[in-house]
């Protein structure tokens, strides 16, 4: 962990992985972001799932194994499960064991007939499927929440390629993809007026201080989120408010006044742009469900078949 953080802090511009947002407080803050009026992403995706759940369930079909990447509280999943025809098994995959088991327990209580097989795993790393999932009539990966946008396009492509091999030729992928829109809406979503996103961003420093014994002064950094047109993404930074030095392991990392530390990138796609990325991963977009304002998309993809 220390080596990875140091490598990011030695880079230009300096970076810190977004995984540092998420400790107990960070997960709470992320849930709070989803409830802010400015962060449209969760609200709009839920609207789409409510409206098109039955259509989506028809695509998935009966007796499918549903594998959810980064399942968290499995909230959107409930909307899907309510519409599904006798799913063979539901496998939530998440790295946060406590969160994963709590959510699986709550689902087991509410869906007693559903077979649930949680997997504590970093979904960006290769993993194999248990027999119950492997032997289902069809495997469908569900990856909601715009998280694909948090990966650089090459990494997103690698992740999609890994998913394709996991679902096999008869499987499919149901994925949430946030869309390009006017910069005002995008910047507002990542700069909510209640300052929740700012606290979430600063929490990465709090988390690193606790885990690695660093001495980031939280009041010496300021949250900044800007739309960068050329990269089609919102970039989240923590900007150093003064010239300062931070102790990290045996090193002193120097920050100039105004120097940014990049903590997250949130890529936004056009429908065609995402189809192009998917094609590089050997996937074909079969269906796209949108909200009325076309802010967000839920997409249905299948592996390209060789003629
Ligand atoms: C987790 N992910 C989809 C969020 C996003 O919108 O890219 C993370 C986030 N960062 C700030 N607000 C929300």
């Amino acid at each position: 962990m220390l080596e990875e953080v140091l490598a990011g802090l030695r880079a230009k511009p300096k970076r810190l992985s977004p995984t540092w947002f998420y400790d107990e407080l960070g997960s709470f803050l992320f849930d709070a972001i989803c409830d802010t009026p400015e962060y449209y992403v969760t609200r709009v995706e839920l609207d789409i799932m409510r409206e098109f759940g039955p259509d989506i369930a028809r695509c998935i079909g009966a007796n499918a194994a549903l594998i959810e990447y980064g399942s968290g509280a499995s909230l959107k999943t409930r909307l899907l499960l309510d519409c599904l025809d006798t799913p063979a098994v539901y496998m939530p995959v998440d790295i946060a064991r406590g969160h994963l088991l709590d959510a699986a327990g709550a689902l087991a209580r509410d869906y007693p007939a559903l077979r649930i097989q949680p997997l504590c795993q970093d979904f960006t790393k290769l993993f194999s499927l248990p027999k119950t999932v492997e032997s289902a009539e069809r495997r469908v990966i569900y990856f909601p929440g715009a998280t694909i946008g948090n990966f650089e396009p090459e990494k997103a492509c690698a992740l999609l390629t890994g998913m394709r091999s996991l679902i096999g030729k008869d499987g499919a992928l149901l994925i949430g993809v946030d869309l390009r829109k006017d910069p005002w809406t995008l910047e507002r979503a990542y700069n909510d007026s209640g300052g929740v996103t700012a606290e979430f961003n600063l929490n990465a420093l709090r988390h690193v201080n606790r885990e690695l014994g660093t001495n980031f002064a939280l009041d010496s950094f300021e949250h900044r989120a800007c739309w960068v047109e050329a990269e089609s993404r919102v970039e989240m930074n923590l900007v150093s408010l003064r010239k300062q030095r931070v102790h990290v392991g045996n090193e002193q990392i120097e920050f100039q006044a105004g120097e940014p530390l990049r903590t997250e990138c949130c890529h936004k796609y056009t429908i065609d742009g995402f189809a192009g990325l998917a094609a590089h991963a050997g996937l074909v977009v079969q269906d796209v469900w949108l909200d009325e304002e076309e802010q967000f998309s839920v997409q249905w993809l299948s592996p390209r078949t060789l003629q």
Side-chain angles (χ1 to χ4, degrees):
M1 278 155 116
L2 177 63
E3 268 318 305
E4 199 210 293
V5 168
L6 271 172
L9 294 175
R10 288 186 203 121
K12 279 192 184 136
K14 292 183 172 65
R15 317 184 279 268
L16 188 63
S17 162
T19 52
W20 288 104
F21 293 144
Y22 300 97
D23 54 6
E24 204 169 319
L25 175 61
S27 299
F28 170 82
L29 288 168
F30 180 67
D31 288 347
I33 288 174
C34 296
D35 287 336
T36 62
E38 295 92 347
Y39 191 71
Y40 61 87
V41 179
T42 312
R43 208 173 37 256
V44 174
E45 187 178 19
L46 282 168
D47 286 347
I48 296 173
M49 295 306 288
R50 270 187 209 106
E51 184 170 352
F52 299 107
D55 294 350
I56 295 171
R58 262 191 296 281
C59 287
I60 294 176
N63 309 318
L66 189 68
I67 306 157
E68 182 172 353
Y69 275 33
S71 47
S74 296
L75 279 185
K76 289 155 203 146
T77 325
R78 286 170 178 262
L79 295 174
L80 196 56
L81 289 173
D82 288 342
C83 302
L84 277 189
D85 187 2
T86 56
V89 55
Y90 169 59
M91 189 173 96
V93 183
D94 206 296
I95 198 161
R97 183 177 291 274
H99 237 58
L100 176 73
L101 296 181
D102 285 352
L107 272 182
R109 275 190 297 280
D110 296 343
Y111 297 83
L114 179 66
R115 179 171 200 162
I116 304 175
Q117 202 158 357
L119 180 69
C120 184
Q121 165 76 39
D122 174 353
F123 62 73
T124 63
K125 307 267 168 10
L126 281 182
F127 62 98
S128 51
L129 295 171
K131 280 229 163 56
T132 36
V133 176
E134 189 80 54
S135 61
E137 268 174 45
R138 178 183 224 193
R139 297 187 289 277
V140 175
I141 291 180
Y142 182 35
F143 190 30
T147 306
I148 192 73
N150 296 132
F151 294 85
E152 298 286 333
E154 311 81 67
K155 292 219 169 107
C157 187
L159 186 60
L160 292 172
T161 306
M163 290 181 186
R164 194 198 60 199
S165 63
L166 220 55
I167 56 180
K169 66 177 180 22
D170 300 320
L173 168 60
L174 181 67
I175 185 167
V177 182
D178 196 17
L179 301 176
R180 277 177 65 100
K181 55 187 65 64
D182 66 282
W184 184 80
T185 303
L186 285 166
E187 290 195 345
R188 231 170 71 97
Y190 293 86
N191 289 288
D192 65 280
S193 52
V196 186
T197 310
E199 263 313 305
F200 174 71
N201 200 1
L202 283 164
N203 191 55
L205 300 184
R206 196 181 280 122
H207 193 183
V208 178
N209 280 347
R210 193 177 63 242
E211 292 292 331
L212 301 182
T214 51
N215 64 340
F216 282 101
L218 269 65
D219 57 1
S220 297
F221 288 88
E222 189 176 74
H223 164 73
R224 196 165 300 165
C226 302
W227 171 248
V228 179
E229 175 68 30
E231 306 286 348
S232 194
R233 66 191 189 192
V234 174
E235 292 181 355
M236 291 227 306
N237 289 289
L238 288 165
V239 178
S240 175
L241 292 175
R242 54 182 172 83
K243 188 175 160 101
Q244 55 182 318
R245 281 213 183 101
V246 180
H247 303 273
V248 185
N250 293 327
E251 284 190 37
Q252 304 246 34
I253 302 290
E254 186 152 307
F255 283 85
Q256 300 304 318
E259 187 178 354
L261 168 61
R262 167 95 40 84
T263 49
E264 186 177 50
C265 292
C266 314
H267 295 82
K268 309 296 172 185
Y269 289 93
T270 60
I271 299 288
D272 287 349
F274 189 73
L277 181 77
H280 274 108
L283 292 161
V284 183
V285 178
Q286 305 287 359
D287 243 313
V288 179
W289 295 278
L290 298 165
D291 57 296
E292 232 164 61
E293 291 176 49
E294 307 197 349
Q295 298 212 76
F296 191 89
S297 66
V298 175
Q299 308 204 13
W300 179 248
L301 291 84
S302 62
R304 187 176 49 223
T305 48
L306 299 170
Q307 304 297 328

